[in-house]
Amino acid sequence: NLVSANLPTDAARIQRAFAITSGRPAGKTEVATLQQLLRESRAWYQAHPKSAVELIGDRKCDTVTEPELAAWITTTRIILNTDEFITRS
């Protein structure tokens, strides 16, 4: 689980997710952009906890709050939607 992984910072988690999906480290701009998205997502889901519950469904995690998990789901969906991850023909 990326969110509960023993990684020291959000940037480290983002780097890990990016490396898993693209096979390369994320650039500074990519990390900064994803960190901003994560911050905005955290704030939004903390203000809208019902939306967080709807998003995560039955994917509960005992070590993080529902808004935190929803923010990470949102962020990792962006990583998964990159051209590097998706092969388009």
Side-chain angles (χ1 to χ4, degrees):
N1 182 325
L2 184 66
V3 177
S4 62
N6 190 20
L7 296 169
T9 64
D10 291 338
R13 288 182 182 92
I14 289 168
Q15 282 287 6
R16 176 81 174 130
F18 208 91
I20 289 169
T21 58
S22 70
R24 69 168 178 86
K28 289 180 183 180
T29 302
E30 292 164 324
V31 172
T33 300
L34 291 166
Q35 284 180 303
Q36 180 62 34
L37 171 64
L38 181 60
R39 282 190 297 274
E40 291 171 5
S41 296
R42 278 182 176 138
W44 197 88
Y45 285 115
Q46 286 171 355
H48 302 90
K50 288 183 183 180
S51 294
V53 170
E54 289 173 10
L55 176 65
I56 65 173
D58 62 354
R59 295 178 297 268
K60 305 284 185 200
C61 183
D62 294 336
T63 58
V64 297
T65 64
E66 291 162 338
E68 179 72 4
L69 184 56
W72 276 102
I73 289 171
T74 299
T75 303
T76 55
R77 281 182 173 176
I78 296 300
I79 295 170
L80 291 171
N81 198 35
T82 61
D83 286 339
E84 289 177 76
F85 181 74
I86 299 172
T87 303
R88 296 187 174 148
S89 51

